[in-house]
Amino acid sequence: MRQGLAEIESSEFGYVAAHGLRAARHAVADYLRRTRGVVADPRRIVLCSGATQAVALLAQCLDGPLAMEDPGFWLHRMVLRHNGIDPLHVPVDEDGIDVDALTACDATTVVTTPAHQSPTGVVLSAPRRTELLEWAQPGRLIIEDDYDAEYRYDRAPIGALQGVAPDRVVYIGSTSKTLAPGLRIGWMVLPAHLIARVRTAKSLADTGSSVMDQIAFSQFLTSGAYDRHLRQMRRRYLSRRNALLAALSRHLPRAEVLGAAAGVHLTVRFPAGFPIEELTRRATELRIRLEPLGPCYAEPDTAPPGLILGYANLTESQIARGVEMLGQAARGLGAA
Ligand SMILES: Cc1ncc(COP(=O)(O)O)c(C=O)c1O
C-alpha cells in the first residue's frame, strides 16, 4: 500500500471512478489476459466487492429468465433472489452443466462455474464447453464465475470461456480463494452492451470500491508478488489436498471423492441412504464443523448425502487428525 501510494495523485481519492482506478483495471486486465486467456480490455472491467457483489449488480442489470447450476453456490442463489430473480435450476453431472437441460428451459442468462463446478468440483468437459458456447446465441449471456481457477493440480489449465466469446460472456473473479475472503476484492469483465448499465449499478450501490485496496492490489499484481504467492500456494495446497485424499482413503474408504483436480475444496459422496445429518451431529460434538452438500441443492431434501471439504486453510496434520476423527464418527453409519 505504501509503495502504491507513492505513485498516485491525490486526485485519485475523489469520487472519480466507481468502476475502479485506471491503474488497477489495467493491472487486473494484464493478469487475466496472461493467466486465464481472458479478452480483457480495461475499459470493460468493473472492480467490485468480490464475486458476490458482481452477481448482485448483474442481477440488477439483466432482463429475462436466469438459470444457475443445481447444485450451485447457495449464496449466489440467495443473492439473486434478494435482487428479485428466482433462478431456474439446471442439473450438473460429471461433465458439468447439462446444456440440453439449459436449452430446454427458458433462460436467456446462465450463471456457471466451468473451471471447477461449485460445489461438485467437476470440470466442464470439452464437448459441453462447445455446446455451452453454441447455446450462447445473440440475446443470451453466460456469467462465468471463475472463483478458484488459479489452482489446478493434475491437469493442464483450461482457459476461460470468456476468451472465446467475449461478447456473450461476463467473466467474474475475486481474491477470496487466492488471498482472503475478507479483502472483498473482485472484478467483472463485461460485454460492451452491459458496461454502462453495470457501471451505473456499481456507482449507485456504493460509488466504488476502496481506493486504498485497489492501489495495494494493483501494486501486488504489477510487482510480480501475486504470481509468486500463487506459485507458492499451489505447492502448499497440493500437499494439503494429497494429505486429505490419503486420509479419506484410509478413514472413509466408502466415500466417493469428486473434484480433487483443482480449486481449494473437494466433495465426498456417501452411499445412498447414508445418514449425513447424524454424521454432522456427531462431528459437531467432536468440535469438527462440516459443510454438507444439501444447501447447495435447489431442493436440499433431494441432495445426495455428501460433504464439501475445504483444505486450503488447514495444516496437513490438522487434516489427518480431522479425517481420522470423522472416520470414528462415521463408524457404524455405513461409510467407514
Ligand atoms: C462459487 C463461488 N463463487 C465465488 C466465491 C467467492 O465469492 P466472493 O468473491 O464474493 O467472496 C465463492 C466463495 O466461496 C464461491 O464458492
Side-chain angles (χ1 to χ4, degrees):
M1 206 173 260
R2 203 181 306 122
Q3 285 165 13
L5 284 174
E7 292 165 19
I8 202 152
E9 298 294 328
S10 57
S11 58
E12 302 277 20
F13 282 88
Y15 286 114
V16 280
H19 57 290
L21 293 180
R22 190 173 173 279
R25 285 182 291 106
H26 275 262
V28 169
D30 285 346
Y31 167 73
L32 294 178
R33 221 178 284 131
R34 196 162 47 76
T35 60
R36 302 293 299 129
V38 170
V39 178
D41 179 340
R43 288 168 301 188
R44 290 190 177 201
I45 291 183
V46 171
L47 299 180
C48 54
S49 182
T52 306
Q53 189 182 42
V55 171
L57 297 178
L58 288 164
Q60 294 162 20
C61 296
L62 297 173
D63 310 310
L66 178 147
M68 66 175 280
E69 297 165 335
D70 183 21
F73 188 28
W74 56 269
L75 179 63
H76 285 178
R77 189 182 305 120
M78 288 176 74
V79 169
L80 289 166
R81 287 192 176 137
H82 188 69
N83 284 279
I85 294 185
D86 198 13
L88 302 165
H89 297 290
V90 180
V92 169
D93 60 24
E94 59 283 358
D95 288 322
I97 189 166
D98 178 343
V99 182
D100 287 339
L102 173 63
T103 309
C105 79
D106 273 346
T108 50
T109 301
V110 63
V111 184
T112 181
T113 47
H116 189 232
Q117 203 274 330
S118 172
T120 63
V122 300
V123 177
L124 190 68
S125 69
R128 286 279 175 85
R129 208 177 144 85
T130 308
E131 286 173 33
L132 184 58
L133 287 164
E134 280 166 5
W135 172 86
Q137 299 293 315
R140 286 180 174 164
L141 188 71
I142 299 170
I143 298 178
E144 177 176 25
D145 178 5
D146 210 31
Y147 66 105
D148 68 357
E150 286 82 0
Y151 298 113
R152 194 155 295 277
Y153 311 110
D154 306 324
R155 52 185 302 167
I158 305 162
L161 285 175
Q162 192 272 3
V164 185
D167 286 320
R168 310 274 161 75
V169 179
V170 176
Y171 178 91
I172 295 179
S174 97
T175 57
S176 290
K177 303 292 181 193
T178 56
L179 293 171
L183 294 179
R184 308 313 305 142
I185 294 175
W187 46 84
M188 273 177 273
V189 187
L190 296 156
H193 71 279
L194 281 173
I195 297 169
R197 254 185 289 174
V198 175
R199 278 188 186 183
T200 302
K202 173 65 178 164
S203 177
L204 294 176
D206 56 15
T207 71
S209 296
S210 156
V211 166
M212 295 295 270
D213 295 350
Q214 293 180 53
I215 291 169
F217 185 51
S218 60
Q219 186 70 31
F220 201 45
L221 280 169
T222 51
S223 68
Y226 193 58
D227 289 281
R228 278 198 299 283
H229 166 77
L230 291 177
R231 277 199 297 277
Q232 196 182 358
M233 288 302 147
R234 243 172 240 133
R235 284 196 297 276
R236 191 172 295 177
Y237 296 161
L238 175 63
S239 303
R240 291 177 179 177
R241 194 237 17 200
N242 289 344
L244 178 56
L245 289 176
L248 286 170
S249 76
R250 183 155 178 215
H251 300 293
L252 288 167
R254 295 188 62 207
E256 180 198 2
V257 175
L258 277 178
V264 287
H265 78 272
L266 51 78
T267 53
V268 291
R269 286 203 192 143
F270 296 104
F274 178 80
I276 194 74
E277 294 82 9
E278 175 60 13
L279 177 64
T280 310
R281 195 192 61 72
R282 291 184 185 184
T284 306
E285 278 174 9
L286 297 169
R287 297 177 52 78
I288 303 174
R289 189 167 61 83
L290 292 179
E291 199 165 332
L293 276 175
C296 294
Y297 280 76
E299 303 283 347
D301 294 344
T302 65
L307 297 171
I308 304 170
L309 298 177
Y311 48 83
N313 207 14
L314 297 168
T315 64
E316 286 166 49
S317 60
Q318 284 174 319
I319 291 170
R321 177 84 188 112
V323 178
E324 185 185 352
M325 288 166 75
L326 209 54
Q328 284 162 14
R331 211 162 277 159
L333 298 179

